[in-house]
Amino acid sequence: MKKFFAAVVSVAALSGSLFADGVEYKLENASDWQKSSAVKWIGKEKDVMEVTGPAGLHSVKMFDVVPGKVYKLEAEVKMLSGEAAPTYLGFKLFDKQGRVIDAHMVNARPGSETTVVKPVKAGDKVMVIKANPLWTPGVYAVALNAKKDLSDLPNYDLLTPSKITAKGQEIELQFKNPVGKDIPAGTVVRAHTGGGYMYTGGFRNLTPGQGVELKGTAKGFSKYNMTAGSFAPGAAKAQIIMLVNWKWDCKQKPVTVIKDVELEIEK
């Protein structure tokens, strides 16, 4: 695997190898990853993961997200057998309080802000808002108490509509489950879309016998949205994730091997 830096100091258990411009972490032991029944450690040094079927892999260690630093992530992946399926490499993000930042909490549609027309009571399943042309198909969540300057992101005050119906100057939002609290008329709401994790290392749809190097770089913060090259607003810590063989209806379970997972944090 091509190294981002040639000289590193060998250390164990993901403690980090120091070099002139930062630190390198190698995730090459079972202790570096949260346990998964889908993973078997193979190879002479037991430093290669063999993953059977779909598996979400998470690093044990969480890393601070620091403005100005560059995060370089890479891994070697090869599918051995089974049915074609994608594998993803990236980060799972957390705020200062340790709460997970999901994509729909930051995937805002700027300009979609509007207001609640009628008071909503706890237990209701319908909300009526003033019409806004940006409330089109693809809206995954309703962000409550939204700010036009997006300073509310990540927004944890969310509702998931099951149906959106335009009715003249108004839009009716229906919910599968009852709303859990009162929402006054005039409350500002915003449309949010869904999404996955921060896939800095990208993804590839692999076929048996195909091997690839997943890699990418992230720096700084985006104003909104979950992007690959910059961290979502509010991110304070990150955990390395890999979604391997990420297809759940395979007739033949894919078997994929992973090695040389590395994170370099450059000053």
Side-chain angles (χ1 to χ4, degrees):
M1 170 188 270
K2 181 180 178 182
K3 303 297 182 182
F4 286 108
F5 298 88
V8 296
V9 180
S10 178
V11 294
L14 200 62
S15 56
S17 301
L18 299 176
F19 55 86
D21 294 317
V23 60
E24 177 188 67
Y25 296 94
K26 294 185 176 182
L27 288 78
E28 55 188 10
N29 298 296
S31 60
D32 298 330
W33 296 92
Q34 294 181 8
K35 189 174 181 180
S36 170
S37 60
V39 175
K40 180 171 68 173
W41 288 86
I42 63 173
K44 184 178 180 180
E45 303 296 328
K46 300 295 183 183
D47 58 354
V48 177
M49 287 186 282
E50 182 181 89
V51 184
T52 301
L57 309 181
H58 298 72
S59 68
V60 171
K61 185 175 179 62
M62 294 174 64
F63 306 88
D64 291 331
V65 177
V66 181
K69 291 193 174 183
V70 179
Y71 295 76
K72 299 180 177 180
L73 185 61
E74 60 179 49
E76 287 190 2
V77 182
K78 183 176 182 179
M79 180 177 283
L80 300 182
S81 62
E83 189 175 327
T87 288
Y88 300 76
L89 173 64
F91 296 109
K92 183 176 183 179
L93 304 180
F94 303 81
D95 68 6
K96 291 180 180 179
Q97 297 172 259
R99 296 177 297 181
V100 175
I101 300 176
D102 289 323
H104 66 278
M105 298 171 179
V106 296
N107 281 356
R109 283 189 176 178
S112 66
E113 293 82 10
T114 186
T115 54
V116 176
V117 174
K118 304 173 184 178
V120 179
K121 299 294 184 182
D124 288 349
K125 291 186 176 182
V126 174
M127 175 188 292
V128 179
I129 61 175
K130 289 183 180 179
N132 181 306
L134 294 181
W135 286 75
T136 56
V139 172
Y140 178 85
V142 181
L144 303 179
N145 300 306
K147 306 292 184 182
K148 286 191 176 182
D149 64 0
L150 306 176
S151 60
D152 58 298
L153 301 179
N155 190 311
Y156 292 91
D157 198 1
L158 300 166
L159 298 171
T160 304
S162 57
K163 188 176 181 180
I164 300 175
T165 306
K167 294 188 174 182
Q169 298 302 308
E170 298 177 344
I171 296 174
E172 183 181 272
L173 307 175
Q174 296 181 29
F175 304 97
K176 184 176 180 180
N177 298 314
V179 174
K181 63 179 181 180
D182 292 347
I183 302 172
T187 299
V188 179
V189 297
R190 185 198 302 115
H192 281 209
T193 57
Y197 294 103
M198 180 182 174
Y199 299 123
T200 298
F203 76 97
R204 288 289 294 274
N205 192 57
L206 300 176
T207 56
Q210 183 180 11
V212 297
E213 182 182 37
L214 298 176
K215 64 179 180 180
T217 301
K219 180 182 179 180
F221 293 81
S222 58
K223 188 173 182 179
Y224 65 96
N225 280 359
M226 187 74 71
T227 66
S230 56
F231 292 93
K237 289 186 177 294
Q239 182 182 50
I240 296 171
I241 62 160
M242 294 194 76
L243 306 181
V244 187
N245 304 325
W246 208 242
K247 184 179 179 182
W248 296 85
D249 58 351
C250 290
K251 295 180 180 178
Q252 293 182 317
K253 283 188 178 181
V255 178
T256 296
V257 291
I258 302 167
K259 65 178 182 178
D260 294 335
V261 183
E262 299 178 6
L263 170 65
E264 292 182 354
I265 305 176
E266 182 183 344
K267 294 179 181 177

